[in-house]
Amino acid sequence: MQQERKGRVLLSTTGFEPDRWIDLLSAERDVVTEPAPGGDPSIDYAVVWHHPRGLLAGLPNLKAIFSIGAGVDHIMSDPDLPDVPVVRVVADNLSQFMTEYVAWRVLDHHRQGVAYRSQQARSVWDERPQAPAGEVAVGIMGFGALGQATAAALLALGYRVRGWSRTGREMDGVETFAGEARLGDFLSGTDILVVLLPHTPATEGIVDYDLLRRLRRDNAIGGAVLINAGRGALQVEDDILRALDDGTLKEASLDVFREEPLPAQSRFWSHPRAFVTPHAAAASDAVFLVPQMLAQMSAYDRGEPLWNLVDRDAGY
Ligand code: NDP
Ligand code: OXD
């Protein structure tokens, strides 16, 4: 029996070496990294990370766009985005990576990593008061796939966990809050704020001085802490520095920044109470993600629905 021709996959990435992705996608599909000029009819699917703006607009047979990451702001910001389904990453290994990052940062702030590293540098032996996890409230802003996976691990460690989302997602053992109207209540009972929101027009710059000021500072860990592993565009960076300087924030861990790589002159690099990682909280791994993408392409070719679809109106 003659097999139906599979269309080609366009892989368009910026900022990392795509060889592994090409190898793995090539197991089932022909892969190109640039479309032929003049609207390439051979391309069925695009797999992208920060593709050049307008690149996808001229592809007449494009069926769907696959994001290499959980976040799709790099796709939705294309003003010439074709009207085809956009699929994002939801994967156990990504959730596991994010859970590890958040648990690591929460534990470090809670168990006074900043203070003990400073003491070690000065050969100071001074045991500090210790707060039980059950007295520390971790508030997760953005309570979706990654937020909920992270919440499960924090609950297991004994923390009090709160979750804030747009539509109100429930989870056993977690106090949940929905929408703008409940943001104040969510913040005022949160000691450690974990930001796992997508970047959309509604969340742009949401982490500003006014928001940080509403966190609970009079608490078991001696101040409010910010952890942002969502997107840099969620934060107003001068406001975070101001909050760190004037004590509104005790400490911060930031994995994402407005400009990446973080410029050498940024004060975050040298701030004694800021912990910086290079957008490394949860890396997309081709070995785990490509099989899921290929399975989706085959299913869609058979007329079955795609899953993990982006809601274009909500922008995530
Ligand atoms: P999801 O889409 O599963 O969850 C997003 C959550 O944010 C949902 O709970 C959603 O609410 C909530 N939300 C969105 N808009 C608003 C709003 N305006 N007000 C209140 N809540 C809102 O995404 P994931 O959990 O998979 O990923 C979250 C983000 O993490 C990604 O978009 C990406 O930016 C970032 N990320 C960062 C990585 C890193 O290495 N630093 C790696 C992977 C992802 P609702 O539940 O009501 O829809
Ligand atoms: C993602 C990311 O969105 O790596 O997956 O930031």
Side-chain angles (χ1 to χ4, degrees):
M1 195 175 73
Q2 202 184 342
Q3 270 209 320
E4 201 199 326
R5 187 197 69 82
K6 284 180 174 171
R8 299 204 290 176
V9 171
L10 170 66
L11 177 71
S12 178
T13 64
T14 308
F16 67 91
E17 206 30 77
D19 292 359
R20 194 85 185 109
W21 292 83
I22 296 173
D23 284 353
L24 291 162
L25 285 164
S26 300
E28 284 188 24
R29 307 253 162 185
D30 287 343
V31 180
V32 291
T33 52
E34 278 188 29
D40 189 335
S42 72
I43 292 167
D44 276 358
Y45 295 104
V47 175
V48 301
W49 181 252
H50 292 275
H51 66 278
R53 307 308 57 187
L55 179 79
L56 307 174
L59 303 174
N61 294 324
L62 188 67
K63 294 183 186 171
I65 302 164
F66 289 80
S67 171
I68 278 182
V72 290
D73 43 339
H74 62 105
I75 296 176
M76 306 313 282
S77 56
D78 183 345
D80 298 315
L81 194 65
D83 189 16
V84 296
V86 178
V87 178
R88 68 188 206 92
V89 169
V90 180
D92 288 348
N93 95 299
L94 201 78
S95 299
Q96 172 69 25
F97 280 154
M98 186 57 84
T99 299
E100 290 165 4
Y101 169 84
V102 174
W104 170 43
R105 297 321 311 147
V106 166
L107 281 165
D108 187 59
H109 290 293
H110 164 210
R111 296 303 302 264
Q112 312 192 56
V114 169
Y116 282 129
R117 281 187 291 276
S118 159
Q119 287 189 190
Q120 182 175 352
R122 293 173 287 120
S123 309
V124 172
W125 184 275
D126 179 17
E127 187 183 346
R128 294 175 161 257
Q130 199 166 298
E135 289 178 15
V136 181
V138 182
I140 304 175
M141 233 183 149
F143 205 53
L146 299 178
Q148 291 189 29
T150 297
L154 295 173
L155 284 174
L157 286 169
Y159 290 100
R160 281 193 284 137
V161 182
R162 306 153 76 78
W164 184 71
S165 65
R166 187 170 61 93
T167 57
R169 302 231 194 164
E170 303 289 327
M171 181 172 169
D172 277 354
V174 177
E175 194 177 355
T176 54
F177 303 81
E180 288 269 347
R182 302 295 319 283
L183 181 58
D185 295 336
F186 165 76
L187 294 169
S188 63
T190 290
D191 305 318
I192 299 180
L193 179 68
V194 175
V195 183
L196 286 174
L197 285 165
H199 173 217
T200 68
T203 61
E204 162 79 34
I206 192 168
V207 181
D208 62 5
Y209 190 80
D210 180 55
L211 180 139
L212 297 172
R213 213 176 37 80
R214 293 151 85 188
L215 294 169
R216 184 164 65 184
R217 289 192 292 279
D218 184 13
N219 61 24
I221 55 169
V225 169
L226 167 69
I227 299 171
N228 184 8
R231 279 291 180 269
L234 301 169
Q235 67 198 14
V236 180
E237 295 182 351
D238 284 346
D239 283 12
I240 295 175
L241 286 165
R242 177 181 163 205
L244 283 167
D245 290 343
D246 72 10
T248 298
L249 272 184
K250 180 181 175 224
E251 294 163 9
S253 284
L254 304 174
D255 183 58
V256 286
F257 298 89
R258 285 205 163 244
E259 185 179 345
E260 295 179 1
L262 182 64
Q265 68 274 17
S266 169
R267 274 223 293 137
F268 285 121
W269 285 117
S270 56
H271 200 291
R273 283 172 291 107
F275 185 88
V276 170
T277 43
H279 199 140
S284 291
D285 185 336
V287 171
F288 293 96
L289 303 186
V290 167
Q292 202 185 99
M293 288 175 180
L294 290 171
Q296 289 232 52
M297 291 174 198
S298 296
Y300 202 52
D301 286 346
R302 291 192 300 269
E304 294 165 23
L306 294 164
W307 57 97
N308 299 330
L309 282 173
V310 171
D311 172 342
R312 285 224 181 197
D313 292 331
Y316 67 95

